[in-house]
Amino acid sequence: MENQVVVVGAGVVGLATALQLQKLGYQVTVVDKEGVAAGASYGNAGNFATEQVFPLASPELLLKVPQMLLDPLGPFRIKPNYFIKALPWFKRFIGELCPDKIIKNSSGIALLNSQAIKEMKSLLEYCERPELLKQKGSLLVFESTPFKEVRTQYEAYKNQGIPVQLLSAEELRELEPSLSPNIHHALYFTDTAHTPDPQQICEVFADKIRSEGGRITQLEVTSIDVGEQIFVRGNESQNNDMVTISAERTIIATGAWSKPLVEQLGHKVPLETERGYHLMLEHQSQLKRPVTSYERKFIITPMAKGTRLAGMVEFGGLSQKATSGISERFLIHGQAILPELAAILSCKEGEEWLGFRPSLPDSLPVLGATKHKNVFVNFGHQHLGLTWSAITAKLVAQQVSGQKADFDLKPYRIDRF
């Protein structure tokens, strides 16, 4: 029983946490109701977006919300029957617009970003699969935005210490010749990275966990009983039998599904679900790095199995069906940014996917200790789950083991709300 830890959640955050704990000598069991990389870890954009140091709660974004909601090709939607349920979250979100809170939240984001790629690189090297991290930077491209605003965006990132270059159309074409001639400027974030296969990262982590003696099992956790020992109870997926797993400690890393589990433990967190979509095309583009459109608010990422278009935010909870028409939007925008996609006649030629991002109003995750000495948390990574997975896993593993964490976890504590 000594050094036994159960990690609830087999997405990239849970698997990275299990792997970091295993490196520290713990015996790990990972449980998940659907298995490895069944959610957002499968379908994310594959971008390690360490340039994103600004919290989502900003006056600029708030002013654009009405326009985005009215635009049929826009990047933001709220399902009508979910609007009332989402109001308390949006009230807290607006409460984060105070200048001092924006500064505090931005600092918390930047701190995690500062070590995110380094830690992912370290874990992939430990798993002997470093090629799953491509450090070729990323682009933010502008079509119709006035140069004054482009320059303002450039200065905002530069003032935050982000390595960034302002490119003219000619300089951009030297990097990515296949992009539309309608793009007149770009910001080149030189130190970011991407993966050609986010699902493969999870599978590599899972294989390493198993090879080092860890267990991964499908189990839908229904309760966590806390005492000197932890008892994780749930329904086994294969035969629906009730199973109990005991351990010294447990970590909740179930992303958008974390709220009811921590409520059982006496914690209320304002966790909401941002539904995200992608369209995965078999077409292998000529792009070498992720490209995000400033005006269209979506991203194109070159991947091992094709080209992924992603970038929708929709509030609609965990149980409602996917909204129709999202993939058509991606294809329209994708063809405008990357003309070679004109050969794709229908989104039916690609894979359409819906996943769930766990988001908190301040754009920071929930990390570390809870009111129970042997229960820890690692969730709420919003749009940066892949980006932060390895660094937050390291920080939580350090706290679980009694080490001093590399960063002060106070900004991310579960009782901050």
Side-chain angles (χ1 to χ4, degrees), residues 189-382:
F189 301 108
T190 57
D191 287 9
T192 60
H194 74 281
T195 179
D197 194 335
Q199 180 186 13
Q200 187 67 23
I201 287 181
C202 294
E203 291 174 351
V204 163
F205 285 177
D207 288 344
K208 185 67 171 178
I209 290 165
R210 294 188 188 103
S211 71
E212 297 294 324
R215 294 172 53 213
I216 300 176
T217 185
Q218 279 191 247
L219 186 75
E220 184 173 3
V221 174
T222 55
S223 67
I224 299 174
D225 296 336
V226 181
E228 287 302 314
Q229 293 292 325
I230 297 290
F231 295 95
V232 177
R233 308 183 195 279
N235 296 312
E236 194 172 41
S237 300
Q238 291 183 341
N239 50 28
N240 206 36
D241 289 343
M242 182 61 70
V243 173
T244 299
I245 302 174
S246 61
E248 285 186 321
R249 299 170 181 84
T250 191
I251 292 90
I252 298 171
T254 43
W257 287 267
S258 300
K259 189 173 182 177
L261 288 178
V262 297
E263 282 182 347
Q264 287 184 24
L265 302 171
H267 288 284
K268 289 189 177 294
V269 293
L271 186 70
E272 188 51 83
T273 303
E274 286 186 46
R275 295 151 59 95
Y277 294 76
H278 83 212
L279 174 63
M280 185 69 192
L281 303 172
E282 291 185 1
H283 174 83
Q284 291 285 355
S285 76
Q286 299 177 50
L287 294 178
K288 302 177 183 67
R289 53 187 60 79
V291 176
T292 300
S293 167
Y294 179 77
E295 293 92 355
R296 300 171 188 272
K297 301 292 188 290
F298 91 116
I299 184 171
I300 307 175
T301 306
M303 292 195 169
K305 298 177 182 178
T307 302
R308 181 164 293 178
L309 315 181
M312 172 63 69
V313 169
E314 179 183 66
F315 285 81
L318 294 165
S319 60
Q320 298 194 49
K321 293 181 180 180
T323 300
S324 61
I326 303 294
S327 292
E328 285 82 356
R329 169 191 179 269
F330 286 149
L331 189 55
I332 290 169
H333 288 322
Q335 290 170 338
I337 295 296
L338 194 61
E340 66 184 78
L341 297 182
I344 309 298
L345 300 179
S346 168
C347 62
K348 299 300 181 184
E349 296 181 38
E351 174 204 56
E352 303 175 68
W353 173 89
L354 164 66
F356 306 98
R357 305 182 191 98
S359 291
L360 292 155
D362 58 4
S363 296
L364 299 176
V366 171
L367 307 177
T370 68
K371 62 174 61 178
H372 304 282
K373 65 179 182 179
N374 45 6
V375 180
F376 301 81
V377 289
N378 190 0
F379 66 86
H381 295 54
Q382 42 107 6

